[in-house]
Amino acid sequence: MSTSVISGIQSIELEITGTCQLRCTHCCTNSGPQAPAGRMTREDWSRVIADVAELGIPMVQFIGGEPTLSPHLPQFIDEALDAGLGVEVYSNLTHVRPSLWGSFSRQGVCLATSYYSDDRAQHEEITRTRGSLDRTRANIAEAVRRGIPLRAGIVEVIEGQRVEQAKAELHRLGIKEIQIDRMRRIGRAAEPDASTPTAARAVRTLLSAPRVRLPRRGRVRLHPQSLHGRRQRPRTASRRDPAQRPMGRDDGGRAGAARRRLYPGRFERLRPRPYARLQPKAFRARPVALPWSPRVNWTTCAAALADVSTHRHSRWAPAVAATPRHLFIPRWWTRAADGWELRDGPTDTDRWFEAAYRDTSLVTRVGPLHADHATAADRPHGRPTSSATLPSLVVGMFQHARIDDGDRLLDVGTGSGYGAALAARRLSDEQVTSVDVDPYLTEVARKRMSETGAAPTLDTIDATGDLPYEPASFDRIVATVSVRTIPASWLRALCPGGRLVTTIAGTSLLVTAEKDEDGGATGRVEWDRAGFMHARHGDDYPPGAAVRLAKAAELDGDEVTRGPYPVVDVANAWDLASMLEVEAPGIEHEYREDGEQRVALMAHADGSWARATATGNERPTVHQGGPRRLWDALDKVRDYWLSNGELPVRGARVDITPDGRTFLGRGKWSAELR
């Protein structure tokens, strides 16, 4: 999308879903419990948010339907804040998931809601939903208790509506900005059988500024006030009170200033970032081909990497653009037919820059052998034990942590040091601590970071054990190694209300959680997928996996059956593998194809194993042995999937006790990680 700065438009409404719990008589979009979410995907909305920032529109308003019903709302809020936008969520506040309060409490976020009457029967007549007034009132009180800026609009829908009494009740609840408006005949209210002659659309006056609306179907609509440069003044507006005036053209476009007066300090961190001044030409267009040449300054390549690994208005973009990634990966491993093959950057600068400045992971250690210590003749076999993670994933993990300017960060898994260097540039050296179990990794990362001007604290520690830090030392913990359960030491090191981000070992499940007052944590499995190497406790992972899988390929087994489903490559079926790992942890997998012949192997350290063979998608012959039937466990997961339409692990609630016991739950399904 070709963009340029647009002046005059102060906000944009993004209708991220059409679904709503209520069935209001005056709804302009015919939203309701059965209304579709819309055609726009999460990726579509993410691109829109990035474009809004580039267009110079200072604020985004998430609407619906009911925006809190979108599972991606927390991610959209994060992306908007990361792009330097102000955020308002227009919600009916009838139900707020516990995890959403953390998003709503972030600097730069405010809420808006509609209210109709202080009388329960009258309010429910308009919403056509029993209990709606009590739930909205309770969540208003909770938002006020948490100090979240909140505005309310009262729309006159029916004759005799208790508008003034509703306004007085909102004042008692602690809301200072309350606006009143009538309705227009649009949407459901325009239907011939509308319940009242005045039933029509409730115009949102909570963002009284020229704005654009982007509905869930993706078609842009300019609001009339944007086209004609004028808008109706809300009935409660006062010319003498700038905080209550419409923030449109009559205030010289100073919507942000008026909003800051109304909510002092709330938007103080939303300052323009210097990203566009670093490499303007590189940032304004996504390159078709990156300029690999030893004659090209690395900053040009880093700027191009920033453009492809994060959006150009991200607060992380300047850090990516200013960090020479090639210095952290002078040598790396690539797969070859006879093992892993060494690549040496300084001897082939073109290939070095091409590898280092692409958004991809590079393996730097196989088994106990680091590429820095290898010779060209070395062909190690085994599992990767360290790597330089692809920059977009590193940035994504930091974004999930919702890191603010003053936060103290513990980075678990130093690896190449590139991620810690980004964090130090985004924050400061004093705010970042990075740990790794491997003394060579922390030593060489310290040296290479010093060459880039970064000097965070680096410690050699097995982070799954005790940590040598005072309790509540960190506001954020981000792990780029995976763990089976959350270490209790992480919870002790995290401050109350602090946020941790990690992945579950053997899965693609990305967990975010915030520390509770009792020392535990509550969070969720995000919809995003991420996978990292298991946290190791020594020089290499325990041996034996290859031997167990080799035996599974040859043994006849105690039981031979016909499986109901085709052979599948479990390790690369991410959701299936994640669910199986939660239900039956520790299974190792191997998959082979020879023409139409497919073979899947499974093995476990307890001696259980399985082998399934088939031609194409035919039902497989399954051999199993040992104390457990591993293929049966896999079929059980596939049964659940077919019966329920999806697997429950992604999007599940996460509860962590102070001693690190980790529980997942969604609907009727629950499991404890072991």
Side-chain angles (χ1 to χ4, degrees):
M1 176 179 178
S2 176
T3 57
S4 59
V5 174
I6 294 178
S7 61
I9 296 178
Q10 297 299 321
S11 69
I12 185 168
E13 297 176 349
L14 304 186
E15 186 182 330
I16 58 176
T17 182
T19 310
C20 183
Q21 310 101 321
L22 309 182
R23 296 179 291 273
C24 296
T25 57
H26 59 283
C27 180
C28 66
T29 59
N30 291 309
S31 297
Q34 304 304 317
R39 299 173 188 165
M40 296 278 282
T41 66
R42 194 195 74 172
E43 291 74 18
D44 292 334
W45 287 120
S46 295
R47 285 191 290 271
V48 168
I49 291 168
D51 287 336
V52 168
E54 183 160 342
L55 288 167
I57 300 172
M59 174 165 281
V60 62
Q61 185 187 52
F62 295 113
I63 65 172
E66 171 51 39
T68 62
L69 294 180
S70 169
H72 309 305
L73 178 61
Q75 285 78 19
F76 295 153
I77 292 174
D78 291 349
E79 290 170 6
L81 293 177
D82 195 48
L85 297 171
V87 173
E88 184 164 71
V89 179
Y90 198 118
S91 169
N92 58 43
L93 293 181
T94 59
H95 178 71
V96 178
R97 302 191 305 273
S99 60
L100 280 175
W101 287 116
S103 296
F104 294 162
S105 299
R106 294 195 66 191
Q107 190 85 2
V109 179
C110 57
L111 295 176
T113 193
S114 296
Y115 209 75
Y116 303 106
S117 175
D118 67 327
D119 179 76
R120 182 179 292 106
Q122 198 173 75
H123 187 99
E124 293 175 0
E125 178 186 351
I126 296 170
T127 64
R128 296 196 291 188
T129 305
R130 182 174 297 179
S132 58
L133 175 61
D134 293 338
R135 293 195 293 270
T136 297
R137 186 188 288 144
N139 283 318
I140 287 174
E142 178 64 14
V144 171
R145 184 188 73 80
R146 290 173 177 263
I148 301 170
L150 173 62
R151 303 189 280 170
I154 302 174
V155 183
E156 292 184 86
V157 181
I158 59 177
E159 297 295 335
Q161 186 174 330
R162 294 169 57 86
V163 172
E164 292 302 324
Q165 293 88 338
K167 179 181 176 182
E169 181 172 64
L170 289 171
H171 274 303
R172 288 194 299 272
L173 289 170
I175 298 181
K176 295 178 180 170
E177 183 180 8
I178 304 166
Q179 296 171 343
I180 301 173
D181 198 18
R182 64 182 181 83
M183 297 186 302
R184 284 94 177 139
R185 187 174 292 278
I186 298 176
R188 184 179 293 143
E191 296 172 2
D193 59 347
S195 59
T196 66
T198 61
R201 182 187 176 193
V203 175
R204 290 182 177 87
T205 60
L206 296 177
L207 273 177
S208 305
R211 67 189 188 272
V212 174
R213 178 166 177 260
L214 186 62
R216 61 188 183 273
R217 295 182 181 87
R219 294 191 294 271
V220 176
R221 303 176 188 174
L222 287 173
H223 282 225
Q225 60 268 26
S226 298
L227 294 173
H228 304 296
R230 66 178 184 270
R231 63 181 292 112
Q232 181 177 350
R233 184 180 302 278
R235 285 175 43 180
T236 60
S238 167
R239 292 182 180 273
R240 295 184 179 182
D241 183 0
Q244 292 290 320
R245 288 205 307 267
M247 292 178 283
R249 297 195 177 202
D250 58 348
D251 74 347
R254 295 185 294 274
R259 192 177 298 282
R260 284 190 292 273
R261 287 196 297 273
L262 186 61
Y263 304 132
R266 189 70 179 178
F267 297 90
E268 61 186 4
R269 292 181 180 171
L270 300 180
R271 299 186 297 272
R273 306 296 295 181
Y275 178 69
R277 295 196 294 273
L278 289 171
Q279 292 287 341
K281 293 182 180 178
F283 294 140
R284 296 192 190 285
R286 189 175 298 273
V288 176
L290 301 180
W292 310 126
S293 169
R295 295 183 297 276
V296 176
N297 191 292
W298 68 264
T299 57
T300 304
C301 299
L305 176 60
D307 199 33
V308 299
S309 61
T310 186
H311 60 86
R312 55 181 57 89
H313 287 280
S314 167
R315 297 184 183 188
W316 290 95
V320 177
T323 303
R325 189 175 185 236
H326 69 285
L327 294 183
F328 294 90
I329 322 164
R331 307 178 105 201
W332 66 98
W333 296 105
T334 59
R335 288 189 182 273
D338 57 345
W340 292 86
E341 185 176 351
L342 183 66
R343 293 284 185 263
D344 183 72
T347 61
D348 190 343
T349 309
D350 284 351
R351 182 160 57 184
W352 188 15
F353 272 48
E354 182 177 4
Y357 291 101
R358 288 199 181 276
D359 189 28
T360 189
S361 295
L362 296 175
V363 174
T364 55
R365 194 175 187 273
V366 175
L369 184 58
H370 197 286
D372 291 352
H373 304 143
T375 68
D378 287 321
R379 290 290 189 274
H381 295 265
R383 295 168 60 182
T385 50
S386 188
S387 70
T389 303
L390 66 159
S392 61
L393 181 54
V394 174
V395 170
M397 294 292 283
F398 288 147
Q399 288 173 328
H400 275 292
R402 302 175 183 172
I403 297 171
D404 287 322
D405 291 346
D407 287 340
R408 301 157 297 169
L409 170 67
L410 176 62
D411 168 49
V412 179
T414 304
S416 69
Y418 178 74
L422 292 183
R425 287 195 181 277
R426 164 70 176 83
L427 301 170
S428 70
D429 292 339
E430 294 74 21
Q431 292 172 258
V432 178
T433 299
S434 184
V435 300
D436 203 291
V437 71
D438 191 324
Y440 176 73
L441 294 182
T442 53
E443 174 191 346
V444 74
R446 184 179 293 108
K447 176 179 179 295
R448 290 167 180 167
M449 273 191 260
S450 68
E451 297 174 7
T452 70
T457 300
L458 297 178
D459 291 326
T460 303
I461 297 168
D462 181 350
T464 61
D466 292 334
L467 297 177
Y469 308 116
E470 293 295 324
S473 292
F474 302 100
D475 303 289
R476 301 290 187 268
I477 296 177
V478 176
T480 50
V481 293
S482 63
V483 292
R484 185 62 198 170
T485 59
I486 307 302
S489 59
W490 294 9
L491 297 174
R492 288 192 293 271
L494 195 63
C495 70
R499 185 174 177 87
L500 65 86
V501 181
T502 189
T503 51
I504 303 303
T507 77
S508 60
L509 303 180
L510 194 163
V511 170
T512 61
E514 296 181 357
K515 186 174 179 178
D516 301 323
E517 294 180 359
D518 66 357
T522 304
R524 60 175 290 182
V525 176
E526 299 289 345
W527 293 97
D528 285 350
R529 295 169 173 82
F532 289 95
M533 297 177 190
H534 295 210
R536 54 187 171 90
H537 310 290
D539 208 36
D540 197 358
Y541 296 114
V547 174
R548 288 190 287 270
L549 289 168
K551 289 182 177 179
E554 302 296 336
L555 296 173
D556 289 332
D558 307 322
E559 183 177 299
V560 181
T561 59
R562 295 274 284 177
Y565 307 116
V567 174
V568 64
D569 181 2
V570 178
N572 287 306
W574 284 21
D575 284 3
L576 184 63
S578 296
M579 183 70 176
L580 179 63
E581 180 67 17
V582 170
E583 297 284 355
I587 299 175
E588 297 137 354
H589 301 275
E590 185 176 324
Y591 179 77
R592 306 170 183 172
E593 275 192 19
D594 184 5
E596 285 293 301
Q597 191 68 18
R598 301 179 181 180
V599 179
L601 305 176
M602 304 170 69
H604 193 276
D606 67 2
S608 302
W609 62 271
R611 180 178 70 256
T613 59
T615 301
N617 289 325
E618 294 179 356
R619 291 178 59 191
T621 300
V622 181
H623 296 252
Q624 301 187 83
R628 292 187 294 162
R629 298 293 177 257
L630 303 184
W631 197 263
D632 291 353
L634 175 64
D635 283 344
K636 182 179 178 182
V637 173
R638 298 172 84 173
D639 285 340
Y640 187 104
W641 198 340
L642 290 175
S643 298
N644 295 275
E646 65 175 348
L647 295 173
V649 285
R650 212 163 299 280
R653 175 185 173 89
V654 177
D655 292 296
I656 308 166
T657 63
D659 61 358
R661 294 181 65 191
T662 305
F663 300 86
L664 307 182
R666 185 178 171 200
K668 297 179 180 179
W669 174 84
S670 63
E672 179 180 0
L673 299 181
R674 299 185 183 278

